[in-house]
Amino acid sequence: MRKILRLSIVLIVKNGATKRGDGKWVRTRIGEVRIRIDEKTKCLLGISFEGPVDPGAAEKEGGLEASLRGYRLPEARTDFAAEVLRAVAAIPPGRTISYGELAKRVGRPGAARAVGRVMAQNAFAPVIPCHRVVPASGECGNYRWGADRKAALLRLEQETGRDAWRIL
């Protein structure tokens, strides 16, 4: 039986957000965020970033969280992915862990690359905080939306001690 990933998320389109294409748009200091949802099932389909990281961007704190209110995450595709995503969600804000250490936490010590693939396929960053997983070297590493955005998310969490998606 497949284990369901359960995270409580909440997300509104704040004042000043625009609708373009399919999805809701929220402006944040780490770029514009597009939120794709299925209104019929109230299921979140994906989150993506566009535009440059702009620390001075005008935003209302919590705009992303407010925009997610009332939607749920879909099930993970495999039991392994569900285990990895649950383990990632348990990493405290502002902390990082290596791919290898995360693999050990889910009982698969030799599966660092498989963990990396799950992170690369995460369509729900920063709600599922794959930005907290880094190479064993401790460097920032790659990120679907750019290393500068990953570094900005980590810095924001380190400065505030809060989940980045709750304060963007």
Side-chain angles (χ1 to χ4, degrees):
M1 180 175 175
R2 187 179 312 168
K3 297 174 185 169
I4 297 175
L5 173 65
R6 296 197 188 275
L7 295 175
S8 53
I9 62 166
V10 280
L11 190 48
I12 77 188
V13 175
K14 67 181 192 174
N15 294 338
T18 59
K19 280 191 158 191
R20 292 194 312 247
D22 66 337
K24 296 178 179 181
W25 291 84
V26 180
R27 182 184 166 132
T28 76
R29 70 189 93 180
I30 62 165
E32 286 189 287
V33 179
R34 180 175 71 164
I35 304 159
R36 294 183 307 112
I37 55 172
D38 181 334
E39 288 290 353
K40 192 175 199 178
T41 63
K42 295 297 184 192
C43 190
L44 187 61
L45 301 175
I47 298 171
S48 59
F49 297 94
E50 295 192 15
V53 173
D54 180 5
E59 64 182 61
K60 175 183 168 193
E61 186 173 302
L64 180 58
E65 178 180 20
S67 296
L68 293 168
R69 192 163 291 124
Y71 298 104
R72 63 181 179 79
L73 291 171
E75 288 184 30
R77 293 181 182 174
T78 66
D79 288 342
F80 176 71
E83 288 178 46
V84 169
L85 296 174
R86 271 194 302 277
V88 168
I91 301 168
R95 301 298 255 319
T96 59
I97 186 174
S98 72
Y99 294 99
E101 181 58 34
L102 186 56
K104 288 178 192 172
R105 285 191 184 183
V106 298
R108 303 275 298 273
R113 286 183 184 223
V115 164
R117 280 192 296 278
V118 172
M119 296 297 90
Q121 294 170 358
N122 176 19
F124 307 102
V127 175
I128 297 177
C130 59
H131 59 277
R132 296 179 191 155
V133 184
V134 298
S137 67
E139 295 176 11
C140 195
N142 295 326
Y143 191 58
R144 176 185 269 179
W145 295 284
D148 58 338
R149 190 164 278 126
K150 181 175 184 173
L153 287 166
L154 289 170
R155 198 169 32 257
L156 182 63
E157 289 185 341
Q158 289 164 353
E159 290 169 359
T160 65
R162 295 175 60 201
D163 291 311
W165 72 276
R166 294 185 182 277
I167 53 180
L168 287 174

